[in-house]
Amino acid sequence: MATITWNPMMSVGVPILDADHRTLVGLINDLHHSVGDDEEYATLGSVLKALQEYADHHFAREERVMEICRYPSMEVHRRMHQRLSKQVSDLKNGYDSDRTAVRAKDCLDFLHKWLIEHICSTDMDYRSWVIGHGEALSAAEALSMTGPKTNASLDWRQLRVLVVDDNQNFAQVLRTILEGVGVTTIGVAMDLDAAKTRLQASVIDVVVTDWHVGTENGLDLVAWIRRQPALAQLPVLVLSGHERVANGDVALAAGADEFMEKPISARGLLICLSRLMRKDKPA
């Protein structure tokens, strides 16, 4: 099945909700590319988690908007949301318990149909109630993946991220998650030499590196960063899908600021990065 290309016909005319839709389109395309990946569980598992989280987050935003606008069909829309959320959750839980239980084609067909029907039919019904309603749009923007926005919240648009991972599909999943909250400067390095070159040539705010970068060890990159006077304080998050080999304590002892196991949670990743950028690191 072909990937989905965003087009103007999918726009409901509400920028923040359209941005959510683009993220969902991106995640479904990531799912398409992740089936059969050499590290399928880490990649596909992360996509399914992110789809579940972003769907719930988007539905909460929509329902808040509808509530403020007194949209008359809100309860009908909410029941549809509940049904779709359960189906996405069932897909994820089924895959978690038995990686052969969810057939790739069925999964993709459902998500493709769900997304197109959701955007191009039911969401078009409420657009006239929402467009131009400042209070409703402000309320939607106040709901973020990492919790209520405050004056101290991270400005994701200013964040410059370097992803170090030899798996292009997983790197794209990270890109989709980050772009979904507004990050625009995302570099990707597929080996340690490329990562070092980027770090020396560009201003980077945070590094997200896999523990196993091909045949190389991401912890060697962490150690190298800590030896560079100009980079020594650079926040580093280490990820790993090799649970039997990787250990969070080892990563932290090597100089990493945070450690997460794959499959990752989109919300968990964003909360972790937000914490790192506030320098609110665990003792």
Side-chain angles (χ1 to χ4, degrees), residues 145-147 156 266-276 278:
M145 282 284 286
T146 56
W156 294 102
R267 181 174 285 107
L269 173 69
L270 297 174
I271 290 173
C272 178
L273 292 178
S274 181
R275 180 168 61 244
L276 280 176
R278 293 198 312 268

Side-chain angles (χ1 to χ4, degrees), residues 103-123:
R103 294 201 309 165
K105 183 178 184 303
D106 292 343
C107 185
L108 289 166
D109 285 348
F110 157 67
L111 290 170
H112 188 282
K113 181 173 181 289
W114 161 60
L115 186 75
I116 298 303
E117 285 188 353
H118 175 67
I119 294 176
C120 297
S121 59
T122 56
D123 280 6

Side-chain angles (χ1 to χ4, degrees), residues 80-277:
M80 181 204 66
H81 284 172
Q82 291 171 343
R83 174 173 54 84
L84 292 174
S85 290
K86 183 178 185 305
Q87 287 175 292
V88 175
S89 179
D90 288 346
L91 282 173
K92 175 188 170 295
N93 293 337
Y95 187 76
D96 285 344
S97 62
D98 179 1
R99 299 179 198 178
T100 66
V102 178
R103 294 201 309 165
K105 183 178 184 303
D106 292 343
C107 185
L108 289 166
D109 285 348
F110 157 67
L111 290 170
H112 188 282
K113 181 173 181 289
W114 161 60
L115 186 75
I116 298 303
E117 285 188 353
H118 175 67
I119 294 176
C120 297
S121 59
T122 56
D123 280 6
M124 293 300 175
D125 293 340
Y126 68 73
R127 60 183 297 178
S128 62
W129 292 77
V130 178
I131 293 176
H133 198 301
E135 182 186 355
L137 298 181
S138 295
E141 290 176 356
L143 294 176
S144 74
M145 282 284 286
T146 56
K149 288 188 176 180
T150 67
N151 291 335
S153 294
L154 176 63
D155 185 354
W156 294 102
R157 296 168 299 178
Q158 302 301 316
L159 191 65
R160 295 159 295 193
V161 182
L162 176 63
V163 173
V164 185
D165 199 313
D166 62 309
N167 186 318
Q168 294 184 34
N169 290 328
F170 189 81
Q172 180 56 46
V173 173
L174 293 179
R175 180 184 290 277
T176 300
I177 292 171
L178 292 169
E179 289 178 342
V181 291
V183 182
T184 59
T185 306
I186 307 167
V188 177
M190 298 186 66
D191 58 56
L192 300 197
D193 284 342
K196 293 174 184 177
T197 298
R198 282 183 174 269
L199 286 166
Q200 290 172 322
S202 309
V203 177
I204 302 295
D205 296 313
V206 62
V207 174
V208 180
T209 181
D210 194 16
W211 187 309
H212 303 275
V213 185
T215 59
E216 298 178 291
N217 190 325
L219 298 190
D220 291 338
L221 176 64
V222 177
W224 178 85
I225 289 172
R226 296 295 174 243
R227 292 196 300 269
Q228 311 305 308
L231 301 173
Q233 301 304 313
L234 183 65
V236 181
L237 164 62
V238 172
L239 309 178
S240 179
H242 298 265
E243 297 87 350
R244 295 180 180 178
V245 177
N247 181 285
D249 292 337
V250 174
L252 297 176
D257 297 282
E258 295 275 0
F259 170 81
M260 291 180 67
E261 288 186 359
K262 300 178 182 179
I264 64 165
S265 153
R267 181 174 285 107
L269 173 69
L270 297 174
I271 290 173
C272 178
L273 292 178
S274 181
R275 180 168 61 244
L276 280 176
M277 298 316 298

